[in-house]
PDB file of all heavy atoms in Angstrom:
ATOM      1  N   ASN Z 130       8.242 -27.403 -26.193  1.00 94.00           N
ATOM      2  CA  ASN Z 130       7.983 -28.178 -25.052  1.00 94.00           C
ATOM      3  C   ASN Z 130       7.755 -27.173 -23.831  1.00 94.00           C
ATOM      4  O   ASN Z 130       7.987 -25.997 -23.963  1.00 94.00           O
ATOM      5  CB  ASN Z 130       9.183 -29.109 -24.765  1.00 94.00           C
ATOM      6  CG  ASN Z 130      10.451 -28.535 -24.565  1.00 94.00           C
ATOM      7  OD1 ASN Z 130      10.522 -27.376 -24.022  1.00 94.00           O
ATOM      8  ND2 ASN Z 130      11.526 -29.173 -25.081  1.00 94.00           N
ATOM      9  N   ARG Z 131       7.354 -27.824 -22.752  1.00 95.00           N
ATOM     10  CA  ARG Z 131       6.916 -26.973 -21.674  1.00 95.00           C
ATOM     11  C   ARG Z 131       8.194 -26.127 -21.101  1.00 95.00           C
ATOM     12  O   ARG Z 131       8.014 -24.982 -20.756  1.00 95.00           O
ATOM     13  CB  ARG Z 131       6.366 -27.829 -20.568  1.00 95.00           C
ATOM     14  CG  ARG Z 131       5.020 -28.494 -20.900  1.00 95.00           C
ATOM     15  CD  ARG Z 131       4.600 -29.387 -19.716  1.00 95.00           C
ATOM     16  NE  ARG Z 131       3.405 -30.090 -20.120  1.00 95.00           N
ATOM     17  CZ  ARG Z 131       2.871 -31.083 -19.273  1.00 95.00           C
ATOM     18  NH1 ARG Z 131       3.386 -31.360 -18.112  1.00 95.00           N
ATOM     19  NH2 ARG Z 131       1.683 -31.597 -19.684  1.00 95.00           N
ATOM     20  N   LEU Z 132       9.218 -26.747 -21.017  1.00 96.00           N
ATOM     21  CA  LEU Z 132      10.470 -26.039 -20.430  1.00 96.00           C
ATOM     22  C   LEU Z 132      10.803 -24.812 -21.312  1.00 96.00           C
ATOM     23  O   LEU Z 132      11.142 -23.856 -20.831  1.00 96.00           O
ATOM     24  CB  LEU Z 132      11.657 -26.976 -20.328  1.00 96.00           C
ATOM     25  CG  LEU Z 132      12.905 -26.414 -19.669  1.00 96.00           C
ATOM     26  CD1 LEU Z 132      12.479 -25.876 -18.306  1.00 96.00           C
ATOM     27  CD2 LEU Z 132      13.998 -27.404 -19.645  1.00 96.00           C
ATOM     28  N   ALA Z 133      10.828 -24.939 -22.663  1.00 95.00           N
ATOM     29  CA  ALA Z 133      11.287 -23.960 -23.582  1.00 95.00           C
ATOM     30  C   ALA Z 133      10.240 -22.791 -23.387  1.00 95.00           C
ATOM     31  O   ALA Z 133      10.620 -21.573 -23.353  1.00 95.00           O
ATOM     32  CB  ALA Z 133      11.275 -24.350 -24.980  1.00 95.00           C
ATOM     33  N   VAL Z 134       8.950 -23.059 -23.206  1.00 96.00           N
ATOM     34  CA  VAL Z 134       8.003 -21.908 -23.132  1.00 96.00           C
ATOM     35  C   VAL Z 134       8.143 -21.302 -21.778  1.00 96.00           C
ATOM     36  O   VAL Z 134       7.992 -20.123 -21.655  1.00 96.00           O
ATOM     37  CB  VAL Z 134       6.563 -22.569 -23.342  1.00 96.00           C
ATOM     38  CG1 VAL Z 134       5.465 -21.498 -23.004  1.00 96.00           C
ATOM     39  CG2 VAL Z 134       6.427 -23.067 -24.732  1.00 96.00           C
ATOM     40  N   ALA Z 135       8.407 -22.065 -20.727  1.00 96.00           N
ATOM     41  CA  ALA Z 135       8.505 -21.554 -19.455  1.00 96.00           C
ATOM     42  C   ALA Z 135       9.833 -20.740 -19.368  1.00 96.00           C
ATOM     43  O   ALA Z 135       9.774 -19.586 -18.708  1.00 96.00           O
ATOM     44  CB  ALA Z 135       8.664 -22.691 -18.384  1.00 96.00           C
ATOM     45  N   VAL Z 136      10.835 -21.040 -20.035  1.00 96.00           N
ATOM     46  CA  VAL Z 136      12.085 -20.199 -20.059  1.00 96.00           C
ATOM     47  C   VAL Z 136      11.813 -18.875 -20.797  1.00 96.00           C
ATOM     48  O   VAL Z 136      12.197 -17.780 -20.297  1.00 96.00           O
ATOM     49  CB  VAL Z 136      13.206 -20.936 -20.854  1.00 96.00           C
ATOM     50  CG1 VAL Z 136      14.286 -20.034 -21.206  1.00 96.00           C
ATOM     51  CG2 VAL Z 136      13.726 -22.101 -19.976  1.00 96.00           C
ATOM     52  N   ASP Z 137      10.983 -18.869 -21.836  1.00 96.00           N
ATOM     53  CA  ASP Z 137      10.666 -17.618 -22.660  1.00 96.00           C
ATOM     54  C   ASP Z 137       9.835 -16.779 -21.752  1.00 96.00           C
ATOM     55  O   ASP Z 137       9.996 -15.524 -21.587  1.00 96.00           O
ATOM     56  CB  ASP Z 137       9.960 -17.975 -23.945  1.00 96.00           C
ATOM     57  CG  ASP Z 137      10.925 -18.619 -24.964  1.00 96.00           C
ATOM     58  OD1 ASP Z 137      12.179 -18.464 -24.791  1.00 96.00           O
ATOM     59  OD2 ASP Z 137      10.395 -19.315 -25.802  1.00 96.00           O
ATOM     60  N   ALA Z 138       8.811 -17.296 -21.038  1.00 96.00           N
ATOM     61  CA  ALA Z 138       8.000 -16.544 -20.202  1.00 96.00           C
ATOM     62  C   ALA Z 138       8.720 -16.019 -18.970  1.00 96.00           C
ATOM     63  O   ALA Z 138       8.496 -14.770 -18.570  1.00 96.00           O
ATOM     64  CB  ALA Z 138       6.738 -17.434 -19.738  1.00 96.00           C
ATOM     65  N   ALA Z 139       9.678 -16.756 -18.499  1.00 96.00           N
ATOM     66  CA  ALA Z 139      10.380 -16.285 -17.329  1.00 96.00           C
ATOM     67  C   ALA Z 139      11.322 -15.131 -17.721  1.00 96.00           C
ATOM     68  O   ALA Z 139      11.431 -14.163 -17.052  1.00 96.00           O
ATOM     69  CB  ALA Z 139      11.181 -17.412 -16.565  1.00 96.00           C
TER      70      ALA Z 139
END
Side-chain angles (χ1 to χ4, degrees):
N130 59 37
R131 295 176 182 175
L132 182 57
V134 173
V136 165
D137 291 340

